[in-house]
Coordinates of all heavy atoms in Angstrom, one line a residue:
M239 N -1.9 -29.8 6.6 CA -0.6 -29.3 7.2 C 0.4 -29.6 6.1 O 0.4 -30.5 5.3 CB -0.3 -30.0 8.4 CG -0.9 -29.7 9.7 SD -0.6 -28.0 10.1 CE -0.9 -28.2 11.9
R240 N 1.4 -28.7 6.1 CA 2.6 -28.7 5.2 C 3.8 -28.4 6.1 O 3.9 -27.6 6.9 CB 2.3 -27.6 4.2 CG 3.5 -27.4 3.3 CD 3.1 -26.3 2.2 NE 4.3 -26.1 1.4 CZ 4.5 -24.9 0.8 NH1 3.7 -23.9 0.9 NH2 5.6 -24.7 0.0
V241 N 4.8 -29.3 5.9 CA 6.1 -29.2 6.6 C 7.2 -29.0 5.5 O 7.2 -29.7 4.6 CB 6.4 -30.3 7.5 CG1 7.8 -30.1 8.2 CG2 5.4 -30.4 8.6
V242 N 8.0 -27.9 5.8 CA 9.0 -27.5 4.8 C 10.3 -27.4 5.5 O 10.4 -26.8 6.6 CB 8.6 -26.2 4.1 CG1 9.6 -25.6 3.2 CG2 7.3 -26.3 3.5
V243 N 11.4 -27.8 4.9 CA 12.7 -27.5 5.4 C 13.4 -26.6 4.3 O 13.4 -26.9 3.1 CB 13.6 -28.8 5.6 CG1 13.8 -29.6 4.4 CG2 14.9 -28.4 6.3
V244 N 13.9 -25.5 4.8 CA 14.7 -24.5 4.0 C 16.2 -24.7 4.4 O 16.6 -24.6 5.5 CB 14.4 -23.1 4.3 CG1 15.1 -22.2 3.3 CG2 12.8 -23.0 4.1
Y245 N 17.0 -25.2 3.3 CA 18.4 -25.4 3.6 C 19.2 -25.4 2.2 O 18.6 -25.4 1.2 CB 18.7 -26.6 4.3 CG 18.6 -27.9 3.3 CD1 19.7 -28.6 3.0 CD2 17.4 -28.5 3.1 CE1 19.7 -29.7 2.2 CE2 17.3 -29.6 2.3 CZ 18.4 -30.1 1.9 OH 18.3 -31.4 1.1
R246 N 20.5 -25.0 2.3 CA 21.4 -25.2 1.2 C 22.0 -26.5 1.1 O 22.7 -26.9 2.0 CB 22.4 -24.0 1.4 CG 21.8 -22.6 1.2 CD 23.0 -21.7 1.1 NE 22.3 -20.3 0.9 CZ 22.1 -19.3 1.7 NH1 22.5 -19.4 3.0 NH2 21.6 -18.1 1.3
A247 N 21.9 -27.1 -0.1 CA 22.4 -28.5 -0.3 C 24.0 -28.5 -0.2 O 24.6 -29.5 0.1 CB 22.0 -29.0 -1.6
E248 N 24.5 -27.4 -0.6 CA 26.1 -27.3 -0.6 C 26.4 -26.5 0.7 O 26.9 -25.4 0.7 CB 26.5 -26.5 -1.8 CG 26.2 -27.3 -3.2 CD 26.7 -28.6 -3.3 OE1 27.9 -28.9 -2.8 OE2 26.1 -29.5 -3.8
S249 N 26.2 -27.1 1.8 CA 26.7 -26.5 3.1 C 27.2 -27.5 4.0 O 27.1 -28.8 3.8 CB 25.4 -25.9 3.7 OG 24.4 -26.9 4.0
D250 N 27.8 -27.1 5.1 CA 28.3 -28.0 6.1 C 27.4 -28.8 6.9 O 27.7 -29.8 7.4 CB 29.3 -27.2 7.0 CG 28.7 -26.1 7.7 OD1 27.6 -25.7 7.3 OD2 29.3 -25.7 8.8
Y251 N 26.1 -28.4 6.9 CA 25.1 -29.0 7.7 C 24.1 -29.9 6.8 O 23.3 -30.5 7.3 CB 24.2 -28.0 8.4 CG 23.5 -26.9 7.6 CD1 22.5 -27.3 6.8 CD2 24.2 -25.7 7.5 CE1 21.8 -26.3 5.9 CE2 23.6 -24.8 6.5 CZ 22.4 -25.1 5.9 OH 21.9 -24.2 4.9
A252 N 24.4 -29.8 5.6 CA 23.4 -30.5 4.6 C 23.3 -32.0 4.9 O 22.2 -32.5 4.8 CB 23.9 -30.3 3.2
R253 N 24.4 -32.7 5.3 CA 24.4 -34.1 5.6 C 23.4 -34.4 6.6 O 22.5 -35.3 6.6 CB 25.7 -34.7 5.9 CG 25.7 -36.2 6.1 CD 25.9 -36.8 4.7 NE 25.0 -38.0 4.7 CZ 24.3 -38.3 3.5 NH1 24.4 -37.7 2.5 NH2 23.5 -39.4 3.6
R254 N 23.4 -33.5 7.7 CA 22.5 -33.8 8.9 C 21.1 -33.6 8.4 O 20.2 -34.3 8.9 CB 22.8 -32.8 10.0 CG 24.2 -33.3 10.8 CD 24.4 -32.3 11.9 NE 25.4 -31.3 11.3 CZ 25.9 -30.4 12.0 NH1 25.7 -30.3 13.3 NH2 26.8 -29.6 11.3
V255 N 20.8 -32.6 7.6 CA 19.4 -32.4 7.1 C 19.0 -33.6 6.3 O 17.8 -34.1 6.5 CB 19.3 -31.1 6.2 CG1 17.9 -31.0 5.7 CG2 19.6 -29.9 7.2
I256 N 19.7 -34.0 5.4 CA 19.5 -35.2 4.5 C 19.2 -36.4 5.2 O 18.3 -37.2 5.1 CB 20.5 -35.4 3.5 CG1 20.5 -34.2 2.5 CG2 20.4 -36.7 2.7 CD1 21.8 -34.1 1.6
D257 N 20.1 -36.7 6.3 CA 19.8 -37.8 7.2 C 18.5 -37.7 7.9 O 17.8 -38.6 8.1 CB 21.0 -38.0 8.3 CG 22.2 -38.4 7.5 OD1 22.2 -38.9 6.4 OD2 23.3 -38.4 8.1
F258 N 18.2 -36.5 8.4 CA 16.9 -36.3 9.2 C 15.8 -36.5 8.2 O 14.8 -37.2 8.6 CB 16.9 -34.8 9.7 CG 15.6 -34.5 10.4 CD1 15.4 -34.8 11.7 CD2 14.5 -33.9 9.6 CE1 14.3 -34.4 12.4 CE2 13.3 -33.6 10.3 CZ 13.2 -33.9 11.6
L259 N 15.8 -36.0 7.0 CA 14.7 -36.2 6.0 C 14.5 -37.7 5.7 O 13.4 -38.2 5.7 CB 15.0 -35.4 4.7 CG 15.0 -34.0 4.8 CD1 15.5 -33.4 3.5 CD2 13.7 -33.5 5.1
H260 N 15.6 -38.5 5.5 CA 15.5 -39.9 5.3 C 14.9 -40.7 6.6 O 14.0 -41.4 6.4 CB 16.9 -40.5 4.9 CG 16.9 -41.9 4.7 ND1 16.7 -42.8 5.7 CD2 17.1 -42.6 3.6 CE1 16.9 -44.1 5.2 NE2 17.0 -44.0 3.9
D261 N 15.4 -40.3 7.7 CA 14.9 -40.9 9.0 C 13.4 -40.6 9.1 O 12.6 -41.5 9.6 CB 15.7 -40.6 10.2 CG 17.1 -41.1 10.0 OD1 17.3 -42.1 9.4 OD2 17.9 -40.7 10.9
F262 N 13.0 -39.3 8.9 CA 11.7 -38.9 9.0 C 10.7 -39.7 8.2 O 9.8 -40.1 8.6 CB 11.6 -37.4 8.8 CG 10.2 -36.9 9.1 CD1 9.8 -36.4 10.4 CD2 9.2 -36.7 8.0 CE1 8.7 -35.7 10.6 CE2 7.9 -36.2 8.3 CZ 7.7 -35.7 9.6
N263 N 11.1 -39.8 6.9 CA 10.3 -40.6 5.9 C 10.2 -42.1 6.3 O 9.1 -42.7 6.2 CB 10.9 -40.4 4.5 CG 10.1 -41.3 3.5 OD1 10.5 -42.4 3.2 ND2 9.0 -40.7 3.1
R264 N 11.3 -42.6 6.8 CA 11.3 -44.0 7.2 C 10.5 -44.2 8.3 O 9.8 -45.2 8.6 CB 12.7 -44.4 7.5 CG 12.9 -46.0 7.7 CD 14.4 -46.4 7.9 NE 15.2 -45.6 8.7 CZ 15.1 -45.5 10.0 NH1 14.4 -46.5 10.7 NH2 16.0 -44.8 10.7
Q265 N 10.5 -43.4 9.4 CA 9.7 -43.6 10.6 C 8.2 -43.1 10.5 O 7.5 -43.8 11.2 CB 10.4 -42.8 11.7 CG 11.8 -43.4 12.1 CD 12.4 -42.6 13.3 OE1 11.6 -42.0 14.2 NE2 13.7 -42.6 13.3
T266 N 8.0 -42.2 9.7 CA 6.6 -41.7 9.6 C 5.9 -42.0 8.3 O 4.6 -41.9 8.3 CB 6.5 -40.2 9.8 OG1 7.1 -39.5 8.7 CG2 7.3 -39.7 11.0
G267 N 6.6 -42.3 7.3 CA 6.0 -42.5 6.0 C 5.7 -41.2 5.2 O 5.0 -41.3 4.1
H268 N 6.0 -40.1 5.9 CA 5.8 -38.7 5.3 C 7.0 -38.1 4.8 O 8.0 -38.5 5.3 CB 5.0 -37.9 6.3 CG 3.7 -38.3 6.7 ND1 2.6 -38.1 6.0 CD2 3.3 -38.9 8.0 CE1 1.6 -38.7 6.6 NE2 2.0 -39.1 7.8
T269 N 6.8 -37.3 3.8 CA 8.0 -36.5 3.2 C 7.9 -35.1 3.8 O 6.8 -34.6 3.9 CB 8.1 -36.6 1.8 OG1 7.0 -36.2 1.2 CG2 8.4 -38.1 1.4
I270 N 9.1 -34.4 3.9 CA 9.1 -33.0 4.2 C 9.6 -32.3 2.8 O 10.5 -32.7 2.3 CB 10.0 -32.8 5.3 CG1 9.5 -33.4 6.6 CG2 10.3 -31.3 5.5 CD1 10.5 -33.2 7.7
E271 N 8.8 -31.2 2.5 CA 9.1 -30.5 1.3 C 10.5 -29.7 1.5 O 10.7 -29.2 2.5 CB 8.0 -29.5 1.1 CG 8.2 -28.7 -0.2 CD 7.1 -27.7 -0.4 OE1 6.1 -27.8 0.2 OE2 7.3 -26.8 -1.2
E272 N 11.4 -29.8 0.5 CA 12.7 -29.1 0.6 C 12.6 -27.9 -0.3 O 12.1 -27.9 -1.4 CB 13.7 -30.1 0.1 CG 13.8 -31.4 0.9 CD 14.9 -32.3 0.2 OE1 16.0 -32.0 0.0 OE2 14.4 -33.4 0.0
I273 N 13.1 -26.8 0.3 CA 13.2 -25.5 -0.5 C 14.7 -25.0 -0.4 O 15.2 -24.9 0.7 CB 12.2 -24.5 0.1 CG1 10.8 -25.0 -0.3 CG2 12.6 -23.0 -0.6 CD1 9.7 -23.9 0.1
D274 N 15.2 -24.5 -1.5 CA 16.5 -24.0 -1.7 C 16.3 -22.4 -1.5 O 15.6 -21.8 -2.3 CB 17.2 -24.3 -3.0 CG 18.5 -23.6 -3.2 OD1 19.0 -22.9 -2.3 OD2 19.1 -23.8 -4.2
P275 N 16.9 -21.8 -0.5 CA 16.7 -20.4 -0.2 C 17.3 -19.5 -1.3 O 16.9 -18.4 -1.4 CB 17.4 -20.1 1.1 CG 18.5 -21.2 1.2 CD 17.9 -22.4 0.5
D276 N 18.2 -20.1 -2.2 CA 18.7 -19.3 -3.3 C 18.0 -19.4 -4.6 O 18.3 -18.7 -5.5 CB 20.2 -19.8 -3.5 CG 21.0 -19.6 -2.2 OD1 20.9 -18.6 -1.7 OD2 21.9 -20.5 -2.0
S277 N 16.9 -20.2 -4.6 CA 16.1 -20.2 -5.7 C 15.0 -19.0 -5.7 O 14.8 -18.4 -4.7 CB 15.3 -21.6 -5.9 OG 14.3 -21.6 -4.8
A278 N 14.4 -18.7 -6.8 CA 13.4 -17.6 -6.9 C 12.2 -18.0 -5.9 O 11.8 -17.1 -5.1 CB 12.9 -17.4 -8.3
E279 N 11.7 -19.2 -6.0 CA 10.7 -19.6 -5.1 C 11.1 -19.6 -3.6 O 10.4 -19.1 -2.7 CB 10.3 -21.1 -5.5 CG 9.1 -21.6 -4.5 CD 8.9 -23.0 -4.6 OE1 9.5 -23.7 -5.5 OE2 8.1 -23.6 -3.9
G280 N 12.4 -20.1 -3.4 CA 12.8 -20.2 -2.0 C 13.1 -18.8 -1.4 O 12.9 -18.6 -0.2
S281 N 13.5 -17.9 -2.3 CA 13.7 -16.5 -1.8 C 12.5 -15.8 -1.3 O 12.3 -15.2 -0.3 CB 14.5 -15.7 -2.9 OG 14.6 -14.4 -2.5
D282 N 11.4 -16.0 -2.2 CA 10.1 -15.4 -1.8 C 9.5 -16.2 -0.6 O 9.0 -15.5 0.3 CB 9.1 -15.7 -3.0 CG 9.4 -14.9 -4.2 OD1 10.2 -13.9 -4.0 OD2 8.9 -15.2 -5.3
F283 N 9.7 -17.4 -0.6 CA 9.3 -18.2 0.7 C 9.9 -17.7 2.0 O 9.2 -17.4 3.0 CB 9.6 -19.7 0.6 CG 8.9 -20.5 1.6 CD1 7.7 -21.0 1.5 CD2 9.7 -20.9 2.7 CE1 7.1 -21.8 2.6 CE2 9.2 -21.7 3.7 CZ 7.9 -22.2 3.6
C284 N 11.2 -17.5 1.9 CA 12.0 -16.9 3.0 C 11.6 -15.6 3.5 O 11.4 -15.3 4.7 CB 13.5 -17.0 2.8 SG 14.2 -18.7 2.7
R285 N 11.4 -14.7 2.5 CA 10.9 -13.4 2.8 C 9.4 -13.4 3.4 O 9.1 -12.7 4.4 CB 10.8 -12.5 1.5 CG 12.0 -11.7 1.2 CD 11.8 -10.6 0.2 NE 11.4 -11.1 -1.1 CZ 12.0 -11.7 -2.0 NH1 13.3 -11.9 -1.7 NH2 11.6 -12.2 -3.1
T286 N 8.6 -14.2 3.0 CA 7.2 -14.4 3.4 C 7.2 -14.8 4.9 O 6.5 -14.2 5.7 CB 6.4 -15.4 2.6 OG1 6.3 -15.0 1.3 CG2 5.0 -15.5 3.1
Y287 N 8.1 -15.7 5.3 CA 8.0 -16.2 6.6 C 9.3 -15.8 7.4 O 9.5 -16.3 8.6 CB 8.0 -17.8 6.5 CG 6.7 -18.3 6.1 CD1 6.6 -18.7 4.8 CD2 5.6 -18.2 6.8 CE1 5.4 -19.2 4.2 CE2 4.3 -18.6 6.3 CZ 4.2 -19.0 5.0 OH 3.0 -19.5 4.5
D288 N 10.0 -14.8 7.0 CA 11.2 -14.2 7.7 C 12.1 -15.2 8.1 O 12.6 -15.2 9.3 CB 10.6 -13.3 8.9 CG 11.6 -12.5 9.5 OD1 12.5 -11.9 8.7 OD2 11.6 -12.2 10.7
I289 N 12.5 -16.1 7.1 CA 13.5 -17.1 7.4 C 14.9 -16.5 7.1 O 15.0 -16.2 5.8 CB 13.2 -18.3 6.7 CG1 11.9 -18.9 7.2 CG2 14.4 -19.4 6.8 CD1 11.4 -20.1 6.3
V290 N 15.9 -16.4 7.9 CA 17.1 -15.9 7.7 C 18.2 -16.9 8.2 O 19.4 -16.5 8.0 CB 17.4 -14.5 8.4 CG1 16.4 -13.5 7.8 CG2 17.1 -14.5 9.8
E291 N 17.9 -17.9 8.8 CA 18.8 -18.9 9.4 C 18.5 -20.3 8.8 O 17.4 -20.6 8.6 CB 18.7 -18.9 11.0 CG 19.7 -19.8 11.6 CD 19.6 -19.8 13.1 OE1 18.8 -19.0 13.7 OE2 20.3 -20.6 13.7
Y292 N 19.7 -21.0 8.5 CA 19.5 -22.2 7.8 C 20.2 -23.3 8.6 O 21.3 -23.0 9.1 CB 19.9 -22.2 6.3 CG 19.3 -21.0 5.6 CD1 20.2 -20.0 5.2 CD2 18.0 -21.0 5.3 CE1 19.7 -18.8 4.6 CE2 17.5 -19.9 4.6 CZ 18.3 -18.8 4.2 OH 17.8 -17.7 3.6
P293 N 19.7 -24.5 8.7 CA 18.4 -24.9 8.1 C 17.3 -24.5 9.1 O 17.4 -24.2 10.2 CB 18.5 -26.5 8.2 CG 19.4 -26.7 9.3 CD 20.4 -25.6 9.3
T294 N 16.1 -24.3 8.4 CA 14.9 -23.9 9.1 C 13.8 -25.0 8.7 O 13.6 -25.2 7.5 CB 14.4 -22.5 8.9 OG1 15.3 -21.6 9.4 CG2 13.1 -22.3 9.4
I295 N 13.1 -25.5 9.7 CA 12.0 -26.4 9.4 C 10.7 -25.5 9.9 O 10.7 -25.0 11.0 CB 12.1 -27.7 10.1 CG1 13.3 -28.5 9.7 CG2 10.7 -28.5 9.9 CD1 13.5 -29.7 10.4
I296 N 9.8 -25.6 9.0 CA 8.5 -24.8 9.3 C 7.3 -25.5 9.1 O 7.2 -26.2 8.0 CB 8.5 -23.3 8.5 CG1 7.3 -22.5 8.9 CG2 8.6 -23.7 7.0 CD1 7.4 -21.1 8.4
A297 N 6.4 -25.6 10.0 CA 5.1 -26.3 9.8 C 4.0 -25.2 9.6 O 3.9 -24.2 10.3 CB 4.8 -26.9 11.1
L298 N 3.3 -25.5 8.5 CA 2.3 -24.5 8.0 C 0.9 -25.2 8.0 O 0.8 -26.4 7.6 CB 2.6 -24.1 6.6 CG 3.9 -23.3 6.4 CD1 4.1 -23.1 5.0 CD2 4.0 -22.1 7.1
S299 N -0.1 -24.5 8.4 CA -1.5 -25.0 8.4 C -2.0 -25.0 6.9 O -1.3 -24.5 5.9 CB -2.4 -24.2 9.2 OG -2.5 -22.8 8.7
A300 N -3.1 -25.6 6.6 CA -3.7 -25.7 5.3 C -3.8 -24.3 4.6 O -3.7 -24.2 3.4 CB -5.0 -26.4 5.2
D301 N -4.0 -23.2 5.3 CA -4.2 -22.0 4.8 C -2.9 -21.1 5.0 O -2.9 -19.9 4.9 CB -5.2 -21.2 5.5 CG -5.1 -21.0 7.0 OD1 -4.3 -21.5 7.6 OD2 -5.9 -20.2 7.6
S302 N -1.7 -21.9 5.1 CA -0.4 -21.2 5.2 C -0.1 -20.4 6.3 O 0.9 -19.7 6.3 CB -0.1 -20.5 3.8 OG -0.2 -21.4 2.7
Q303 N -0.7 -20.6 7.4 CA -0.4 -19.9 8.6 C 0.7 -20.7 9.4 O 0.6 -22.0 9.5 CB -1.6 -19.9 9.6 CG -2.7 -18.9 9.0 CD -2.3 -17.5 8.9 OE1 -1.7 -16.9 9.8 NE2 -2.6 -16.9 7.8
M304 N 1.7 -20.0 9.8 CA 2.8 -20.7 10.5 C 2.3 -21.3 11.8 O 1.7 -20.6 12.7 CB 4.1 -19.7 10.7 CG 5.1 -20.5 11.5 SD 6.6 -19.5 11.7 CE 5.9 -18.2 12.6
Q305 N 2.6 -22.6 12.0 CA 2.2 -23.3 13.2 C 3.5 -23.4 14.2 O 3.2 -23.3 15.4 CB 1.7 -24.6 12.9 CG 0.4 -24.6 12.1 CD -0.7 -23.9 12.7 OE1 -1.1 -24.1 13.8 NE2 -1.2 -22.8 12.1
N306 N 4.6 -23.7 13.6 CA 5.8 -23.8 14.5 C 7.0 -23.6 13.5 O 6.9 -23.8 12.3 CB 5.8 -25.2 15.1 CG 6.7 -25.1 16.4 OD1 7.6 -24.3 16.5 ND2 6.6 -26.2 17.2
M307 N 8.2 -23.2 14.1 CA 9.4 -23.0 13.3 C 10.5 -23.4 14.2 O 10.6 -23.1 15.4 CB 9.5 -21.6 12.9 CG 10.7 -21.3 12.0 SD 10.9 -19.5 11.6 CE 9.7 -19.3 10.5
W308 N 11.5 -24.2 13.5 CA 12.7 -24.6 14.2 C 13.8 -24.0 13.4 O 14.0 -24.3 12.2 CB 12.8 -26.2 14.3 CG 11.7 -26.8 15.1 CD1 11.8 -27.0 16.4 CD2 10.5 -27.2 14.6 NE1 10.5 -27.6 16.8 CE2 9.8 -27.8 15.7 CE3 9.9 -27.3 13.3 CZ2 8.5 -28.4 15.6 CZ3 8.6 -27.9 13.2 CH2 8.0 -28.4 14.3
R309 N 14.7 -23.2 14.1 CA 15.9 -22.6 13.2 C 17.1 -23.1 13.7 O 17.4 -23.3 14.9 CB 15.7 -21.1 13.6 CG 14.6 -20.4 13.0 CD 14.6 -19.0 13.3 NE 13.5 -18.3 12.7 CZ 13.0 -17.1 13.0 NH1 13.6 -16.4 13.9 NH2 12.0 -16.6 12.3
G310 N 18.0 -23.4 12.7 CA 19.4 -23.7 12.9 C 19.5 -25.2 13.5 O 18.6 -26.0 13.4
L311 N 20.7 -25.4 14.0 CA 20.9 -26.7 14.6 C 21.0 -26.6 16.1 O 21.3 -25.5 16.6 CB 22.3 -27.2 14.1 CG 22.4 -27.4 12.6 CD1 24.0 -27.7 12.2 CD2 21.6 -28.6 12.2
P312 N 20.7 -27.6 16.9 CA 20.4 -28.9 16.4 C 19.0 -28.9 15.8 O 18.1 -28.2 16.1 CB 20.5 -29.8 17.6 CG 20.1 -28.9 18.8 CD 20.7 -27.6 18.3
L313 N 18.8 -29.9 14.9 CA 17.3 -30.1 14.3 C 16.4 -30.7 15.4 O 16.8 -31.2 16.3 CB 17.5 -31.0 13.2 CG 18.3 -30.6 12.0 CD1 18.5 -31.8 11.1 CD2 17.7 -29.5 11.3
P314 N 15.2 -30.4 15.3 CA 14.2 -30.9 16.2 C 14.1 -32.4 16.1 O 14.6 -33.0 15.2 CB 12.9 -30.2 15.7 CG 13.1 -30.0 14.3 CD 14.5 -29.7 14.1
T315 N 13.5 -33.0 17.0 CA 13.2 -34.5 17.0 C 12.2 -34.7 16.0 O 11.4 -34.0 15.6 CB 12.9 -35.0 18.4 OG1 11.5 -34.5 18.7 CG2 13.8 -34.7 19.4
I316 N 12.3 -36.0 15.5 CA 11.2 -36.4 14.5 C 9.9 -36.4 15.1 O 8.9 -36.0 14.4 CB 11.6 -37.8 14.0 CG1 12.8 -37.8 13.1 CG2 10.5 -38.6 13.2 CD1 13.4 -39.1 12.7
S317 N 9.7 -36.8 16.3 CA 8.3 -36.7 17.0 C 7.8 -35.3 17.1 O 6.6 -35.1 16.9 CB 8.4 -37.4 18.3 OG 9.2 -36.8 19.2
E318 N 8.6 -34.3 17.3 CA 8.2 -32.9 17.3 C 7.7 -32.5 16.0 O 6.6 -31.8 15.9 CB 9.4 -32.0 17.7 CG 9.8 -32.1 19.2 CD 11.1 -31.1 19.4 OE1 12.1 -31.3 18.7 OE2 11.0 -30.3 20.3
V319 N 8.3 -32.8 15.0 CA 8.0 -32.5 13.6 C 6.7 -33.3 13.1 O 5.8 -32.8 12.4 CB 9.1 -32.5 12.6 CG1 8.6 -32.2 11.2 CG2 10.3 -31.7 13.1
S320 N 6.7 -34.5 13.4 CA 5.7 -35.4 13.0 C 4.3 -35.1 13.5 O 3.3 -35.4 12.9 CB 5.9 -36.9 13.3 OG 5.9 -37.1 14.7
F321 N 4.2 -34.3 14.6 CA 2.9 -33.8 15.1 C 2.2 -33.0 14.0 O 1.0 -33.0 14.0 CB 3.2 -32.9 16.3 CG 2.0 -32.4 16.9 CD1 1.1 -33.0 17.6 CD2 1.7 -31.0 16.7 CE1 0.0 -32.5 18.2 CE2 0.5 -30.4 17.2 CZ -0.4 -31.2 18.0
Y322 N 3.0 -32.4 13.1 CA 2.3 -31.4 12.1 C 2.1 -32.1 10.7 O 1.7 -31.4 9.9 CB 3.3 -30.3 11.9 CG 3.3 -29.5 13.3 CD1 4.5 -29.7 14.1 CD2 2.5 -28.5 13.6 CE1 4.6 -28.9 15.3 CE2 2.5 -27.8 14.8 CZ 3.6 -28.0 15.7 OH 3.6 -27.3 16.9
V323 N 2.3 -33.4 10.6 CA 2.0 -34.0 9.4 C 0.8 -34.9 9.4 O 0.3 -35.2 10.4 CB 3.2 -34.9 8.7 CG1 4.3 -33.9 8.4 CG2 3.6 -35.9 9.7

């Protein structure tokens, strides 16, 4: 499984995402991959999974099939996301 968060670091919601990532790591020992939607890789990733709202957290299977997606605020709970790591 792979869990990714797509967000813009220079945004009004960035602090909430950063706090979530920190708490997630502290509580689960796992990290969530971060992608900037304005980078070349991020733009391709967003097109592939039809991500148009930020922040978006997406859980992917080992073969890159989408398992779950949470769009916008409020962010999901840590327990909801930790199911996929």
Side-chain angles (χ1 to χ4, degrees):
M239 286 290 206
R240 175 181 176 204
V241 178
V242 177
V243 61
V244 182
Y245 75 104
R246 290 186 171 104
E248 300 297 323
S249 63
D250 57 342
Y251 58 78
R253 183 84 225 144
R254 284 180 269 186
V255 173
I256 292 166
D257 289 345
F258 178 87
L259 293 172
H260 180 285
D261 290 343
F262 187 86
N263 179 261
R264 186 174 47 78
Q265 291 182 31
T266 68
H268 295 282
T269 58
I270 295 176
E271 182 181 345
E272 300 173 56
I273 293 183
D274 177 358
D276 297 324
S277 68
E279 174 194 1
S281 179
D282 290 343
F283 185 86
C284 289
R285 268 195 302 281
T286 300
Y287 294 101
D288 195 30
I289 297 170
V290 294
E291 184 178 353
Y292 311 109
T294 291
I295 298 176
I296 184 170
L298 304 170
S299 64
D301 62 352
S302 297
Q303 295 295 313
M304 184 175 56
Q305 301 298 302
N306 204 341
M307 182 185 289
W308 299 270
R309 294 180 174 162
L311 297 173
L313 294 169
T315 65
I316 289 172
S317 61
E318 286 176 306
V319 179
S320 67
F321 176 78
Y322 297 96
V323 294

